[in-house]
């Protein structure tokens, strides 16, 4: 259960490193009321991502969904520096990033409940704490990154964070552990 909670905190780092500083990231081309629209578009993407992830989990499983969402985030964060100079491309990337951010939290919750067993209520509380930790740490990393390497490099930092989260989740996935009498890929309790 602990590795899934750590994974949840890790997946939020890149998203909040960037979205906490969205006014600075988008400043070259998106300001004022367009910035508010950009934030709504990003949030709308998250709602869509949540909905799509739930359906995909039912057919594909939670680990593949979170893996694809994080891989997509890596690519989208790497495109973001070029998008910072074109308002329409920036809005599209923010929609995609929102969708991917929404699509990676739902599978983590599914994975957590699959291993929590009778501790599901406690797991839910701990999951909330992991989310808040990821948001706060991501925001701090974003601010530190802007201060040390500049806002232009923030999306690259976010891409590295997303790749690290993906690597951690794939390497520590309880679903990848096999036990006698269990088929490979089935979640195991931890």
């Amino acid at each position: 259960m602990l590795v899934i909670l750590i994974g949840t905190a890790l997946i939020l780092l890149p998203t909040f490193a960037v979205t906490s500083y969205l006014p600075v990231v988008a400043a070259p081309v998106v300001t004022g009321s367009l910035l508010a629209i950009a934030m709504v578009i990003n949030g709308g993407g998250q709602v869509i991502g949540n909905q799509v992830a739930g359906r995909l989990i039912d057919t594909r499983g939670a680990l593949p969904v979170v893996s694809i969402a994080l891989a997509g985030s890596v690519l989208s964060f790497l495109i973001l520096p070029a998008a910072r100079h074109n308002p329409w491309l920036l809005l599209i990337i923010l929609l995609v990033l929102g969708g991917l951010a929404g699509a990676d939290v739902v599978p983590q919750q599914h994975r957590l409940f699959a291993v929590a067993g009778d501790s599901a209520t406690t797991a839910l509380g701990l999951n909330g704490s992991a989310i808040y930790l990821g948001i706060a740490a991501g925001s701090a990393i974003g601010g530190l990154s802007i201060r040390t390497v500049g806002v232009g490099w923030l999306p690259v930092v976010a891409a590295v964070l997303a790749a690290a989260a993906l690597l951690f989740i794939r390497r520590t996935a309880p679903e990848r552990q096999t036990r006698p009498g269990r088929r490979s890929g089935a979640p195991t309790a931890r």
Side-chain angles (χ1 to χ4, degrees):
M1 182 164 53
L2 181 60
V3 296
I4 295 174
L5 292 167
I6 292 169
T8 297
L10 291 176
I11 64 172
L12 293 165
L13 296 178
T15 297
F16 283 91
V18 171
T19 56
S20 296
Y21 299 95
L22 191 56
V24 179
V25 171
V29 294
V30 175
T31 58
S33 59
L34 190 54
L35 178 60
I37 292 168
M39 295 176 92
V40 169
I41 287 171
N42 184 259
Q46 290 186 20
V47 171
I48 293 167
N50 269 252
Q51 295 298 311
V52 171
R55 290 185 185 105
L56 288 174
I57 290 167
D58 291 340
T59 59
R60 304 281 188 240
L63 185 60
V65 172
V66 73
S67 298
I68 290 167
L70 284 169
S73 293
V74 170
L75 294 174
S76 297
F77 282 125
L78 291 175
I79 295 169
L80 187 55
R84 290 182 64 225
H85 304 287
N86 180 318
W88 298 111
L89 183 56
L90 182 62
L91 293 174
I92 291 168
I93 290 296
L94 290 175
L95 176 67
V96 170
L97 281 169
L100 294 167
D104 59 16
V105 174
V106 175
Q108 283 298 99
Q109 292 169 339
H110 186 273
R111 295 176 67 229
L112 182 62
F113 287 143
V115 300
D118 293 337
S119 302
T121 305
T122 302
L124 180 62
L126 291 171
N127 189 58
S129 297
I131 289 170
Y132 291 132
L133 177 64
I135 291 168
S139 299
I141 290 168
L144 183 61
S145 297
I146 290 170
R147 178 182 277 180
T148 57
V149 296
V151 69
W153 284 94
L154 183 57
V156 176
V157 170
V160 170
L161 291 171
L166 175 59
L167 181 63
F168 177 84
I169 288 169
R170 296 292 300 177
R171 294 230 179 221
T172 62
E175 298 92 328
R176 296 176 55 134
Q177 311 292 321
T178 56
R179 287 182 166 177
R182 293 189 71 93
R183 62 181 167 78
S184 179
T188 59
R190 276 220 171 164

